[in-house]
């Protein structure tokens, strides 16, 4: 079984191709749960019509499944609560020039 920090670090390798910021710092990852060798992630997108959505979800799944001890990653895309810039880390805000 992988550590939660290891799962989060893997998700930090997934970058939104439009904003060039990882999905964790953007605040897109809502929940990370692990049951044995299966990981379940609840995440959202910056907008429901995000054209990069399928790519981001696929990359998150692949990043998690590369971790030793993770046999399957399930990504659940949720739109509630809706994403807002308030969910971003300070580093992400700085990168985008939001103060």
């Amino acid at each position: 079984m992988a550590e939660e920090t290891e799962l989060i670090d893997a998700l930090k390798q997934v970058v939104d191709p439009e904003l060039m910021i990882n999905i964790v710092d953007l605040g897109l990852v809502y929940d990370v749960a692990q049951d044995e060798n299966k990981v379940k992630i609840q995440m959202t997108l910056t907008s429901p019509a995000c054209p990069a959505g399928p790519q981001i979800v696929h990359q998150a799944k692949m990043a998690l499944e590369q971790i030793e001890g993770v046999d399957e990653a399930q990504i659940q895309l949720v739109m509630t609560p809706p994403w807002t810039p308030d969910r971003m880390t300070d580093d992400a805000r700085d990168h985008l020039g939001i103060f």
Side-chain angles (χ1 to χ4, degrees), residues 9-56:
D9 286 345
L11 291 171
K12 284 184 177 182
Q13 303 307 309
V14 180
V15 175
D16 181 305
E18 294 178 317
L19 300 175
M20 299 309 295
I21 299 172
N22 74 69
I23 63 174
V24 174
D25 286 345
L26 277 174
L28 300 180
V29 178
Y30 286 176
D31 187 55
V32 177
Q34 188 172 11
D35 183 21
E36 298 293 322
N37 294 2
K38 185 185 285 188
V39 176
K40 295 181 181 180
I41 304 296
Q42 283 190 342
M43 64 173 288
T44 194
L45 301 170
T46 54
S47 79
C50 177
Q55 175 186 351
I56 292 169

Side-chain angles (χ1 to χ4, degrees), residues 2-99:
E3 297 289 327
E4 185 171 347
T5 55
E6 192 176 6
L7 300 173
I8 296 296
D9 286 345
L11 291 171
K12 284 184 177 182
Q13 303 307 309
V14 180
V15 175
D16 181 305
E18 294 178 317
L19 300 175
M20 299 309 295
I21 299 172
N22 74 69
I23 63 174
V24 174
D25 286 345
L26 277 174
L28 300 180
V29 178
Y30 286 176
D31 187 55
V32 177
Q34 188 172 11
D35 183 21
E36 298 293 322
N37 294 2
K38 185 185 285 188
V39 176
K40 295 181 181 180
I41 304 296
Q42 283 190 342
M43 64 173 288
T44 194
L45 301 170
T46 54
S47 79
C50 177
Q55 175 186 351
I56 292 169
V57 170
H58 179 74
Q59 288 178 354
K61 179 177 175 56
M62 295 298 103
L64 292 167
E65 288 178 349
Q66 290 180 5
I67 298 172
E68 185 176 334
V70 176
D71 294 335
E72 180 184 355
Q74 294 180 344
I75 311 295
Q76 180 184 10
L77 201 56
V78 297
M79 293 299 156
T80 304
W83 177 86
T84 68
D86 294 338
R87 295 191 52 86
M88 292 190 300
T89 64
D90 289 341
D91 288 341
R93 283 193 191 98
D94 288 346
H95 181 80
L96 294 176
I98 299 172
F99 303 102

